[in-house]
Amino acid sequence: MTTLKAAVIGCGSIAQYRHLPEYAANPLVEIAAVCDSNLERAEETAAKYGARAFTDYKEAIEMEGIDLVSVCLPNFLHAEVTLAALNAGRHVLCEKPMAASREEAEAMNEAARANGKKLMIAHNQRFTAAHQKAKELIESGKLGRIFSFRTTFGHAGPEGWSADGADSWFFNKKEAFIGAMGDLGVHKADLLRYLLGEFTEVGALIATNAKENTEVDDNAVCVLRSESGAVGTLAASWSYMGGSDNSTVIYGEKGTLHLEADPEYSLIEVYRDGSSVQHKLDKIQTNEEGGQTTSHVINHFVKSVAEDKEPLISGEEGLKSLEIILAAIESQKTKQIVPLKKGVLAE
């Protein structure tokens, strides 16, 4: 099979810990180009992976032979660089949140269609073993009708993981657009849609109360209603100082699923009759682990391109997950419940 040449745009932490090592480990891929506004960082990364270094993303994208582009940049640049890559005839894997508005996301999806290229958004929660097993159990009817849920994604904040620490773009509203909701909440929105289907209403309380010298949100709690009638909560936070929480609980008429909520068992089934099933499955990836990890995102993207199949988290899927976060922001502004229609904000 022909080797696919990749260009990684942005050499910060998400590229260093996820995209670059996972591309390097994939036998179908050659890392041909890396790009960063910091020349020293770009050159160091290029030397490590035997790639060419660039500081201009357009030059990296347009390098002869590039097939794949990973967009690992501050949120406000996701749409701009993705559009450039798609229009240059490259397949794109874009970090989340995919864009800073519905309009940007729709333009990205249109460019993918117009150019006949894959667009995937780097949500990794669907690939977690416990989440895939939970989807299987829910769809089998073993839990009966789903009544409620709660999901949380929180840690102490990006300054402990970002390449630029406390000076990271994550805290700059112009570059980040949103804070914990875009960093963590959109992952959980995507997971809930994967497990429970589309949502019809979103309400939210969003705050900046844990970090200083920033205008982006660092704490948010959302209330959501699914098309099937289930109601529950989604929390995203940069204030969990004692350790991260990436758990989800699904409550059904016959039992409850506890996902990534136990240190030993990734999935626990508990039923009304008192019986339970405990599953030891591969644990979810965390930033605290450090070093190289396997998110499964890169391999899925590469396989989608190699086999000419639609990726599990396409640009269209990415937009629907983004819409939940945009609705939460609207709810905070208006102090009202915001309706969704077929997975997107109602007109």
Side-chain angles (χ1 to χ4, degrees), residues 334-347:
T334 63
K335 308 302 180 186
Q336 295 181 344
I337 299 296
V338 175
L340 295 171
K341 184 178 181 181
K342 294 184 179 179
V344 299
L345 287 170
E347 299 295 343

Side-chain angles (χ1 to χ4, degrees), residues 1-5 23 25-30 68 302-303 306:
M1 186 173 291
T2 304
T3 299
L4 298 168
K5 292 186 177 182
Y23 276 131
N26 191 305
L28 298 180
V29 178
E30 172 194 342
L68 315 174
V302 172
K303 185 176 182 180

Side-chain angles (χ1 to χ4, degrees), residues 9 24 29 32 46 52 54 100 113 137 155 157 225 228:
I9 313 300
V29 178
R52 285 186 61 187
F54 295 89
R113 287 190 292 269
L137 291 168
H155 55 51
R225 186 192 305 274
S228 65

Side-chain angles (χ1 to χ4, degrees), residues 159-198:
E159 63 267 45
W161 193 68
S162 172
D164 297 315
D167 295 324
S168 172
W169 60 264
F170 279 98
F171 299 108
N172 182 324
K173 191 172 181 64
K174 288 184 179 180
E175 296 185 359
F177 159 56
I178 45 177
M181 287 286 282
D183 182 31
L184 307 176
V186 73
H187 269 317
K188 288 304 191 179
D190 192 72
L191 172 63
L192 289 175
R193 290 185 50 252
Y194 175 65
L195 294 177
L196 304 177
E198 301 302 342

